[in-house]
Amino acid sequence: MLIKNTAKSALKESQLTSETHYTNRRTLLKKLGIGIASIPFIPSAQAGLFDAFSGGSDVAGDVKGAFLRDNLQHIKNPLFQSLSPMTPEDKILQYNNFYEFGTGKSDPFEHSQQFKVNPWSLTIDGLVDKPITLNYEDLLKRFEIEERFYRMRCVEAWSMNIPWLGFTLASLLKSVSPQSSAKYVRFETLHDEEQMRGQASRRVGGGIDYPYVEALRLDEAMNDLTLMSVGLYGKTLAPQNGAPIRLVVPWKYGFKSIKSIVRITLTDKEPVNTWKKIAHSEYGFYANVNPEVDHPRWTQASERFIGDGNVFAQTRKDTLMFNGYGDEVAHLYKNLDLKRNY
Ligand SMILES: Nc1nc2c(c(=O)[nH]1)N[C@H]1C(S)=C(S)[C@@H](COP(=O)(O)O)O[C@H]1N2
Ligand SMILES: [Mo]
């Protein structure tokens, strides 16, 4: 975000999955009587529609997608199903920020395909009565998987609409019994210089001190919108999107939605998140999407929506307060000066 990226995207129009493709797929499944709850899940996010019907191959020697399939609950709240247009799948897979793999938008896609997501270990510790460590299978099996369509707004003023799969962070936190002294939740990304070229070289990794760290207040973490995502577009997450598990906080700038999480720690002090540490005058702890508080170097009043067509096409739209989720989250900030606490 500090580094200006002028590199052209690797996207080719011919590779793009359109929103209608996804919609049609769902309609098709319905017609076949398969229904959304039994979409076959494919471990590789690159598996296409054809693979989905043929059962798919276990590309990474991975756990079978049936775990996701068996747990998928299509949730009732229409809020999560009325987003249009959806950003095409290939753009969500190829236009990324994941500095551990490089700072260019196509670096994560190009340099993460060998990333190992299984075995995985996610530890939840700190001020909790029942700390646990979950393995890869637990992440997909233990909690009810829901599909949710969310807006995603990067602090760099571009945005997408993404159909996530995941479970609420609240359900995970309840299972570890937070202590009454816990006030914040701190998240940490994997640190593995052998797998992540940006961690092995400060130049490649944008000068960040890894591991990448993010944090939420406990009440933000417990909000029903806050998702632990394990998939998108009906498939398990691709490495570049934060496999095997990442956070999704749709009313905050994208940098809060930390990827490839290995540790979640409950604390009583406000943790220092990575981007605040790098440039606290530009990136704060809260990072709520707010069209009235500009970034020191650019406006936050509008955004470039990435839909069909070239990713740099200027399809601008107005940015919404809390990214359009004010009804769900505005109450969390009643007593907070949002200009000071950006
Ligand atoms: N570990 C880690 N998590 C991260 C980032 C990162 O560089 N490293 N980038 C963030 C930013 S700035 C954004 S906008 C989103 C992008 O998510 P996406 O590539 O899946 O769209 O991931 C966030 N999570
Ligand atoms: Mo971002």
Side-chain angles (χ1 to χ4, degrees), residues 176-196:
V176 295
S177 302
Q179 295 169 0
S180 56
S181 54
K183 297 283 178 286
Y184 296 91
V185 185
R186 178 186 185 276
F187 306 83
E188 208 176 283
T189 295
L190 178 72
H191 194 171
D192 183 344
E193 298 184 2
E194 280 178 19
Q195 292 204 79
M196 293 165 145

Side-chain angles (χ1 to χ4, degrees), residues 148-172:
R148 295 191 179 195
F149 298 175
Y150 280 165
R151 286 179 282 275
M152 219 265 299
R153 170 60 155 85
C154 177
V155 75
E156 298 162 337
W158 52 267
S159 66
M160 295 183 177
N161 288 339
I162 304 182
W164 299 104
L165 294 169
F167 51 86
T168 60
L169 176 58
S171 60
L172 173 58

